[in-house]
Amino acid sequence: MTGMRTALRALAATAAVLLAVTAHSPSARARPEPKAPEEFVALRSVDPTIIQEMRYTTAHTFMGERVDGYRQPVCLLTRPAARALHLAQRKLLRQGYSLKVYDCYRPQRAVDHFVRWAKDLDDQTMKEEFYPRVAKDRLFEDGYIAEKSGHSRGSTVDLTLVRLPALPTRPYRPGERLTPCFAPKGERFPDNSLDMGTGYDCFDTLSHTDDPRIQGPQRANRQFLKRTLTEVGFVNLPEEWWHFTHRPEVFPDTYFDFPVDRGSVGRP
């Protein structure tokens, strides 16, 4: 019996040592979040006058919830893209307008969240507002959702124009009545921006920048936004009036996954 007790004590001691080693091993500790390369900056550090309404930190998204990886409502971009927006903003302010950004750098984990949501055909929470005329099982085929996004490379931004002085946009209330994103401006979710014919993230062909059905002041507003950004080096995505990429991209082939957080970037 004495030998048995000695053996059991030895086994217990060995197990304790193994547990201690495992607990203190690098693989057992939580891995630190990745940081942005030094080429990234917070837009506010380059131009604090640009309005930021970072939609994906809220529940007012096409998924009806906050998006993975968006920890703080801050716009992060590569430095050349941020500086180009600053140049555009200087011109706009003299004309009585301001840029307003909805989304900037987007981590890969956020794109993965979009993909999981798109595959869940039972979740139709926000359909009436964001994709009323598109079947959810066609979101991939029609190009509204993809497994990679140019936003993750850091030089792409979703934005609009606001006439100054800018009135605040009221917060979205989860569960409120939804209105199609292409409804007349006075009927859809209120936004302090110029009327572009549809709301932001509207999954509909009416969002195509040059859709011929968009005429009058709405078309003029889209062309004003496009012209202003083209002059400072941005290229518009024809399918989305709000989507612009600064060229040449600093990281044309890299998709980052650091979180949208002020702590992800260093000093300007």
Side-chain angles (χ1 to χ4, degrees), residues 114-250:
F114 292 173
V115 171
R116 292 195 304 274
W117 167 82
K119 291 179 178 179
D120 181 4
L121 300 183
D122 293 329
D123 184 353
Q124 306 272 341
T125 305
M126 302 298 283
K127 178 176 175 60
E128 291 182 37
E129 178 174 354
F130 290 95
Y131 53 106
R133 298 194 290 207
V134 181
K136 194 174 181 183
D137 61 5
R138 290 192 57 85
L139 292 180
F140 286 105
E141 185 175 351
D142 290 353
Y144 294 111
I145 299 291
E147 295 185 352
K148 294 289 184 181
S149 169
H151 281 273
S152 302
R153 302 194 295 263
S155 295
T156 294
V157 61
D158 293 341
L159 74 177
T160 188
L161 292 171
V162 176
R163 189 187 301 276
L164 297 174
L167 298 175
T169 297
R170 72 163 175 83
Y172 167 75
R173 297 184 294 268
E176 67 177 85
R177 185 179 69 86
L178 301 177
T179 302
C181 52
F182 47 74
K185 184 174 174 63
E187 298 177 18
R188 60 181 185 260
F189 184 83
D191 192 311
N192 61 2
S193 67
L194 299 184
D195 186 4
M196 298 290 182
T198 76
Y200 169 57
D201 261 356
C202 186
F203 294 178
D204 195 275
T205 54
L206 282 171
S207 293
H208 293 189
T209 306
D210 294 319
D211 188 286
R213 293 168 293 177
I214 302 297
Q215 294 293 327
Q218 297 170 334
R219 187 176 188 84
N221 290 338
R222 291 187 183 191
Q223 294 305 314
F224 181 23
L225 175 64
K226 181 179 178 180
R227 183 172 63 254
T228 300
L229 293 176
T230 299
E231 289 174 353
V232 294
F234 283 90
V235 177
N236 174 240
L237 178 69
E239 290 78 19
E240 298 177 351
W241 60 257
W242 57 82
H243 181 119
F244 290 84
T245 299
H246 189 259
R247 302 281 175 79
E249 293 186 68
V250 180

